[in-house]
């Protein structure tokens, strides 16, 4: 069995319906409409997403981070013309903090099962995670929703204040800087922050625990020169070698309840295949 066949078998045994359908749409010429049909089931009446689309947030209610997950799925399907997008942006406008960003997580998380890191004060401020990634994706697809202007100002302001950062924040910042239309400003901030971002990266492919590797920051080729080709090649080799005997890839963070290990496994497996294809490591498979 090759990489694709092994991954397909893994997804059949372990993956959620949405991740099995994503695989079919992306790698087997399956209909993207079926993915969109399932994704709609995760969207709530307020326009936000919940219902464990982000597996570590188990509640039905909307949260900002599942909007990012939904937008990445819409991006891979080239489906930002879906009515789900403006509805989600309306939701983001409703839950944004006065500073223009959406919080990392809303206090309503306390009433639902969730991973232990999803904690928040009573009146949380805006956060670059997930505001920067969401804004970057909306810019990529030419959104004109009113929420985006305030969110973009928030991102520029917060990014300008960064001297040191953390892995998840750095990944969100890189998404924003790579996709935002103001290229001179993005390139200037990237030049200023490049070393701070690289300080959060684990360059040893065998690093244990919740390490953040180059391909987590650049799951597809970036416009911004964060990593050299030899670094990317080393980690692409390691990514192929990391495919498990049953065909999948898993997250390297705490799997705090058994179900999330399967749900993350399917999601991450599709993500890893997308990365291998984006860098030409799956011969014969072009988007």
């Amino acid at each position: 069995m090759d990489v694709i066949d092994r991954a397909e078998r893994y997804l059949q045994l372990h993956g959620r319906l949405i991740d099995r359908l994503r695989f079919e749409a992306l790698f087997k010429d399956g209909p993207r409409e079926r993915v969109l049909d399932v994704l709609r089931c995760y969207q709530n009446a307020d326009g936000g997403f919940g219902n464990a689309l982000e597996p570590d947030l188990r509640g039905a209610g909307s949260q900002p981070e599942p909007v990012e997950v939904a937008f990445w799925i819409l991006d891979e399907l080239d489906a930002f013309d879906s009515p789900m997008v403006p509805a989600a942006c309306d939701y983001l406008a409703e839950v944004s903090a006065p500073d223009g960003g959406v919080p990392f997580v809303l206090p309503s998380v306390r009433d639902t099962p969730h991973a232990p890191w999803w904690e928040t004060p009573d009146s949380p401020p805006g956060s670059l995670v997930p505001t920067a990634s969401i804004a970057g994706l909306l810019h990529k697809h030419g959104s004109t929703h009113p929420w985006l202007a305030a969110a973009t100002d928030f991102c520029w302001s917060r990014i300008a204040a960064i001297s040191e950062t953390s892995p998840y924040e750095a990944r969100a910042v890189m998404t924003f800087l790579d996709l935002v239309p103001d290229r001179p400003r993005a390139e200037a901030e990237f030049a200023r922050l490049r070393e701070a971002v690289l300080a959060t990266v684990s360059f040893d492919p065998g690093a244990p625990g919740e390490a953040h590797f180059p391909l987590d920051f650049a799951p597809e080729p970036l416009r911004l020169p964060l990593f050299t080709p030899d670094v990317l090649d080393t980690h692409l080799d390691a990514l192929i070698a990391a495919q498990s005997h049953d065909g999948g890839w898993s997250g390297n963070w705490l799997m705090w309840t058994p179900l999330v290990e399967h749900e993350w496994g399917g999601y991450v497996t599709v993500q890893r295949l997308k990365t291998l294809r984006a860098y030409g490591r799956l011969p014969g498979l072009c988007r």
Side-chain angles (χ1 to χ4, degrees), residues 127-212:
S127 171
L128 286 169
V129 182
T131 307
S133 297
I134 292 172
L137 286 168
L138 288 168
H139 279 300
K140 176 182 178 180
H141 293 277
S143 173
T144 58
H145 192 280
W147 176 79
L148 183 56
T152 300
D153 289 344
F154 166 83
C155 290
W156 284 128
S157 175
R158 284 295 182 90
I159 289 170
I162 292 174
S163 57
E164 296 181 350
T165 186
S166 59
Y168 286 111
E169 182 180 74
R171 289 165 61 173
V173 167
M174 284 303 305
T175 297
F176 179 81
L177 294 179
D178 200 56
L179 299 177
V180 71
D182 188 343
R183 301 316 303 156
R185 189 173 184 180
E187 289 163 8
E189 286 291 7
F190 171 72
R192 183 180 69 84
L193 290 174
R194 184 172 186 269
E195 293 306 314
V197 170
L198 291 176
T200 71
V201 180
S202 297
F203 287 93
D204 176 6
E210 192 176 343
H212 297 254

